[in-house]
Amino acid sequence: MKNPSRTISKAGKEGQPVIIPEFRCLSTWPTRYKNFVEFCVALALFVIALPFICVAAILVKLTSRGPAFYFQSRSGRFGKGYVIYKLRTMYLDSERDTGPIWSSSSDPRITPLGRILRRTHFDELPQLWNVLRGEMSLVGPRPERPEFLPLLEKSLPYYRMRLMLKPGITGLAQVQLYADTDLASVRRKLAHDLYYVHASSGWLDLRLLMATAFVVLGFSFPLVRRILRLPRPKEINGLYTRLTKKNPTASSCEAGAAASRTKPTDDAIPSMESA
């Protein structure tokens, strides 16, 4: 993305093109400095976190049948697939009968230890390895499972614009711990992701990392947002509204055009907290 203001076309998974509509990123941070800085930070964090990951992995093995780690396909930058690494928080073969589905906070497939790992976000620590491999960022749009992309693309214009940057372990959407229950909640997260793509900078990334630490320690996000002067909902939603009003059909993106012709229903978007 040498010139972020240009329309971008890259080959996606299985050779399918991923067309990103024109959208100007205000900073050169993602293309010049972010990868190097995040690699150094992720390496330090991985060394610190490794003993905790090992202890948690042993507890997972002792408390439920199956491997300690969970591997899942996600869509990376420009739609390129990669495998995400997490500590397993669900019972073994939890999707064997249902196929890929989203989970909820009360999902019976989550183990008792898994609930603790999710609540403390310890299950996310192995993703530092994804950052070191260059597949993810510390901060970025939330990663999505490729199985759900077609559904969301048909319902929400500009959904694939999130793929202009690498997905992040944390981000403007992730740090707020939103619960996805319907189409409106998914659109809310999309608005946050697109705002991040537009306003990405080293200063914003630093504040989001600090906010993540505060939220994990139990501070309320509204308080953290005021202290760190993070973007307000009015700014975030305003950008998405202007974007969709300017080009409501998302003509450069086939999925966006389909969304303009078909009114989606909330029933099409199930509860959506990643497994």
Side-chain angles (χ1 to χ4, degrees), residues 50 53-54 56-58 60-61 66-71 84-89 123 125-126:
L50 189 57
I53 294 174
C54 293
I58 292 171
V60 170
K61 287 288 292 183
F69 294 96
Y70 185 68
F71 310 101
I84 201 171
Y85 303 97
K86 301 178 71 174
L87 286 164
R88 183 172 56 82
T89 59
D123 63 315
L125 290 178

Side-chain angles (χ1 to χ4, degrees), residues 78-176:
F78 300 127
K80 182 180 179 181
Y82 72 99
V83 176
I84 201 171
Y85 303 97
K86 301 178 71 174
L87 286 164
R88 183 172 56 82
T89 59
M90 289 188 173
Y91 291 104
L92 186 65
D93 296 329
S94 59
E95 292 185 338
R96 180 177 54 188
D97 298 327
T98 62
I101 60 173
W102 289 302
S103 69
S104 64
S105 58
S106 59
D107 198 318
R109 298 174 300 165
I110 302 175
T111 66
L113 176 61
R115 296 190 186 282
I116 298 174
L117 293 175
R118 287 188 173 213
R119 188 162 56 247
T120 59
H121 300 279
F122 267 42
D123 63 315
E124 310 284 350
L125 290 178
Q127 292 177 49
L128 290 169
W129 183 245
N130 289 112
V131 178
L132 295 176
R133 288 169 55 91
E135 298 162 335
M136 291 184 67
S137 292
L138 290 177
V139 183
R142 59 192 176 90
E144 186 57 85
R145 298 178 65 175
E147 297 92 342
F148 302 144
L149 281 178
L151 170 65
L152 296 174
E153 287 169 356
K154 291 178 181 178
S155 302
L156 298 171
Y158 297 103
Y159 193 81
R160 275 190 181 261
M161 284 175 60
R162 304 163 55 260
L163 303 180
M164 291 177 72
L165 300 179
K166 294 177 186 177
I169 297 176
T170 189
L172 191 57
Q174 299 94 303
V175 74
Q176 302 188 54

Side-chain angles (χ1 to χ4, degrees), residues 74 89 120 179 193 235:
R74 296 295 172 96
T89 59
T120 59
D193 287 339
E235 300 174 65

